[in-house]
């Protein structure tokens, strides 16, 4: 209940308690059997009645004015309460609006954070997949390299480069076998011994085995090899390889066809040169002229008429070049040298530094002999 209504009820009850002026009172009862005689109104009574009537009208007007005043006060009070309630409602609306904005902002930040987390998670997954694919690829390549190195190591044991001064391969060096097993060779054979004692025997006599040979390490060459061995590389800038290029590799691969010689040297350095025997029955069809590639009876490097039992191919090219036995000996001597230093670079040679040095000197000697025109008769 409003306070204005309570005040209105209190005022109404107070007015009811007050006696009303001008109210008629009941007349006293008359005796039984007598007729009631109503007195005639006098002038005094008329004046009193008018006075009572005016007082009653005054009271009614006061009551009305009080009622109007109470209504006005109640109305003002209600208006104030309504205004206060509206003000409070407005504040609550503003607070609700502010809270709703805060909630929307938090929801937006939460959505952005969730999106960034998902994006970061997807990015991490992509990176992990990429790294996994790269690792698997590297693993496959490493396994392929291991298999290739194992095959090369196995093949290396059967090559000439496995024969070192400390443990020579007697099957690959017939001059180290007993005299009964020595093979007689006609024509120009090469003596692989560096002994200064004794002279070349006649072609009709068997080659005497050499029991020992005298060697002396060149300090300059050995120092250059040791410096190269610390950080092995195939770069020509090192003094060790630069000397070998000038003294052995360059002259050994210097053929009449200079342009083809440069291509062969590049293929040897890149390990993309292929040498294969020529089939005696079916000969392949070459794509270039016979003058450039030579033929079974003409060497493509020297341009001379020679019996060519081997041919070479440079890289993935489909062109084959027929070479004479002398040119093949020179090319294979250079290939053997590059194969050995490549194995040293890859860490496949587990020998003493001096033994590796003497093996390189032996390979250099083979290049020197081959560039002078000496080659085995079985080639």
């Amino acid at each position: 209940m409003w306070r204005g209504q309570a005040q209105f009820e209190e005022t109404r009850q107070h007015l009811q308690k007050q006696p009303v002026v001008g109210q008629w009172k009941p007349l006293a009862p008359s005796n039984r059997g007598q007729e009631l005689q109503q007195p005639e109104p006098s002038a005094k009574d008329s004046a009193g009645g008018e006075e009572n009537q005016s007082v009653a009208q005054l009271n009614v007007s006061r009551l009305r004015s009080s009622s109007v005043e109470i209504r006005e006060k109640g109305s003002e009070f209600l208006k104030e309460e309504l205004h206060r309630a509206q003000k409070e409602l407005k504040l609550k609306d503003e607070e609700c609006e502010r809270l709703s904005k805060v909630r929307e902002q938090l929801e937006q930040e939460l959505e952005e954070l969730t999106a960034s987390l998902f994006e970061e998670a997807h990015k991490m997954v992509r990176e992990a997949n990429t790294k996994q694919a790269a690792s698997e690829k590297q693993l496959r390549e490493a396994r392929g390299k291991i298999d290739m190195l194992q095959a090369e190591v196995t093949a290396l044991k059967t090559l000439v480069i496995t024969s070192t001064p400390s443990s020579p391969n007697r099957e690959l060096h017939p001059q180290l076998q007993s005299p009964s097993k020595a093979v007689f060779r006609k024509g120009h054979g090469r003596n692989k011994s560096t002994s200064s004692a004794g002279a070349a025997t006649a072609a009709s006599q068997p080659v005497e085995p050499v029991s020992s040979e005298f060697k002396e390490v060149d300090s300059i060459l050995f120092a250059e090899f040791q410096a190269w061995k610390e950080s092995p590389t195939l770069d020509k800038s090192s003094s060790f390889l630069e000397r070998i290029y000038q003294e052995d590799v360059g002259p050994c691969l210097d053929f009449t066809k200079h342009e083809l010689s440069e291509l062969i040297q590049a293929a040897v350095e890149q390990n993309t040169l292929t040498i294969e025997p020529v089939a005696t029955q079916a000969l392949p069809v070459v794509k270039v002229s016979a003058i450039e590639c030579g033929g079974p009876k003409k060497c493509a490097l020297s341009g001379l008429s020679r019996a060519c039992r081997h041919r070479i191919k440079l890289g993935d090219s489909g062109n084959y070049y027929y070479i004479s036995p002398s040119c093949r000996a020179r090319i294979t001597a250079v290939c053997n040298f590059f194969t050995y230093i490549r194995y040293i670079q890859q860490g496949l040679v587990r020998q003493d530094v001096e033994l590796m040095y003497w093996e390189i000197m032996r390979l250099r000697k083979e290049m020197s002999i081959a560039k002078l025109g000496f080659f085995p008769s079985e080639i």
Side-chain angles (χ1 to χ4, degrees), residues 147-159:
D147 295 338
M148 180 184 67
L149 292 177
Q150 289 178 349
E152 288 182 354
V153 169
T154 304
L156 180 63
K157 294 179 180 178
T158 60
L159 295 177

Side-chain angles (χ1 to χ4, degrees), residues 221-240:
L221 297 179
F222 189 70
E224 292 177 351
F225 172 70
Q226 282 184 319
W228 176 83
K229 180 66 174 59
E230 295 296 328
S231 179
T233 179
L234 299 180
D235 189 6
K236 303 177 185 178
S237 60
S238 63
S239 59
F240 170 69

Side-chain angles (χ1 to χ4, degrees), residues 14-23 59:
H14 178 69
L15 292 176
Q16 286 179 354
K17 293 179 181 179
Q18 293 181 359
V20 182
V21 182
Q23 184 176 2
N59 290 335

Side-chain angles (χ1 to χ4, degrees), residues 238-339:
S238 63
S239 59
F240 170 69
L241 289 182
E242 183 180 4
R243 179 189 296 272
I244 295 177
Y245 265 96
Q246 292 177 356
E247 297 179 358
D248 300 312
V249 176
C252 196
L253 295 180
D254 187 14
F255 299 103
T256 305
K257 306 294 183 179
H258 297 289
E259 184 177 356
L260 184 57
S261 300
E262 294 177 357
L263 295 176
I264 291 176
Q265 181 174 339
V268 171
E269 293 172 353
Q270 299 172 4
N271 197 19
T272 58
L273 179 70
T274 303
I275 303 178
E276 60 182 32
V278 177
T280 57
Q281 297 180 356
L283 295 177
V285 179
V286 296
K287 297 182 180 179
V288 292
S289 63
I291 297 177
E292 181 179 359
C293 290
K297 294 184 179 182
K298 187 172 185 179
C299 179
L301 293 174
S302 63
L304 301 176
S305 297
R306 296 289 185 272
C308 302
R309 294 190 292 269
H310 293 83
R311 62 182 183 178
I312 60 175
K313 184 176 71 169
L314 307 178
D316 297 331
S317 174
N319 299 331
Y320 289 88
Y321 301 92
Y322 294 87
I323 56 176
S324 63
S326 175
C327 295
R328 177 184 178 272
R330 294 166 65 175
I331 295 174
T332 53
V334 177
C335 289
N336 290 338
F337 168 75
F338 274 95
T339 301

